[in-house]
Amino acid sequence: MGFIVIIPARLASTRLPNKPLADLGGKPMVVRVAERAGASGAARIIVATDHETIAAACREHGVEVCMTRADHPSGTDRIAEVARALNLAPDAVVVNLQGDEPLIDPALLAATAARVGVDVPMATCAHPLHDAADAFNPNVVKVVLDKAGRALYFSRATIPWHRDGFAQSRDALPAAYVALRHIGLYAYTNAFLQTYPTLEPAPLEAVEALEQLRVLWHGYPIAVHVTDSAPAAGVDTPEDLERVRQHYPA
């Protein structure tokens, strides 16, 4: 069964106003993101938005769009509304792709979606860290896995903690030590996507400021696809936008 990609897109952005409509080689960014998703083998790609300007830009370029309420607290809630409106089957797999990822690797979407199954209602991805500065950076979220490749814990702390190696030095990572950086790409069954917004926020989530800990705290497993290298960064700032424009010359 194929998977569906839903791309939540809002105009509001403090650092980069009108971000989804930023021009990348003659097309809005959100359209470029949809094009990347289209190369993943997804059965359907839909932009979820509460703004008619974004909807009009998508329609102009042949991208399916679904209007949503404006008061959603998160992109996950927004795509859950779309999945309900589409009357998707409970076991349908939905990938949540942010609208500011125009360089996303399409294969990463497919690989993450493939990890969702009957016993694992949610999946995400990660890549190995090679730089000690990243391992100790609280803005770089780490994840540790069990033998089946499911998340044991996500943290801003350095996990796992190499007791002996870090006692000697924190300037370089110990030999054979592997820390995994979490990549914020998610896939869910539709049944779990509808359940997630109803889950009570978790104490661990509040402490770490990491929403995915809510899922683990409530006892749901998260499968993690590990890719060899870091994906291209998304667009948060004007500097990011200029970097991405090098890949989409006018």
Side-chain angles (χ1 to χ4, degrees):
M1 181 178 63
F3 59 94
I4 294 172
V5 177
I6 303 181
I7 304 167
R10 298 178 63 244
L11 278 184
S13 173
T14 54
R15 289 186 287 183
L16 194 59
N18 299 330
K19 181 166 62 171
L21 300 176
D23 182 84
L24 294 179
K27 294 182 181 179
M29 183 188 305
V30 68
V31 171
R32 293 297 191 185
V33 174
E35 290 176 344
R36 297 290 285 182
S40 69
R44 195 172 181 182
I45 297 98
I46 304 163
V47 171
T49 186
D50 59 0
H51 204 285
E52 181 55 39
T53 306
I54 294 176
C58 290
R59 295 188 192 107
E60 179 183 350
H61 293 278
V63 175
E64 185 176 1
V65 65
C66 183
M67 297 299 293
T68 68
R69 302 198 326 258
D71 60 348
H72 285 302
S74 72
T76 307
D77 295 272
R78 191 175 305 280
I79 70 169
E81 179 190 347
V82 173
R84 286 193 300 274
L86 296 175
N87 197 28
L88 297 180
D91 63 348
V93 177
V94 178
V95 174
N96 179 358
L97 174 60
Q98 297 305 306
D100 57 5
E101 298 278 356
L103 300 181
I104 191 73
D105 180 2
L108 193 59
L109 304 183
T112 303
R115 294 298 306 273
V116 177
V118 175
D119 298 325
V120 186
M122 180 173 170
T124 188
C125 45
H127 72 85
L129 288 173
H130 303 288
D131 189 334
D134 289 333
F136 289 101
N137 183 349
N139 294 316
V140 176
V141 177
K142 276 71 69 174
V143 60
V144 290
L145 311 182
D146 67 11
K147 66 180 294 185
R150 299 178 182 181
L152 288 170
Y153 193 64
F154 297 87
S155 183
R156 297 180 181 279
T158 307
I159 57 173
W161 182 262
H162 198 298
R163 187 196 64 175
D164 296 338
F166 293 149
Q168 296 178 22
S169 172
R170 300 185 191 178
D171 295 329
L173 298 180
Y177 170 82
V178 178
L180 295 175
R181 171 183 170 253
H182 175 234
I183 301 168
L185 175 70
Y186 297 100
Y188 329 77
T189 62
N190 181 39
F192 184 71
L193 179 59
Q194 303 306 322
T195 298
Y196 177 81
T198 71
L199 297 178
E200 176 188 355
L204 292 174
E205 168 191 0
V207 169
E208 294 259 17
L210 296 174
E211 287 186 8
Q212 62 270 38
L213 288 174
R214 184 184 312 181
V215 178
L216 298 182
W217 192 79
H218 283 277
Y220 294 95
I222 302 175
V224 181
H225 168 71
V226 179
T227 184
D228 292 335
S229 57
V235 177
D236 288 320
T237 66
E239 292 75 20
D240 292 336
L241 181 59
E242 289 308 310
R243 167 180 52 80
V244 170
R245 278 179 170 154
Q246 307 306 310
H247 297 266
Y248 292 99

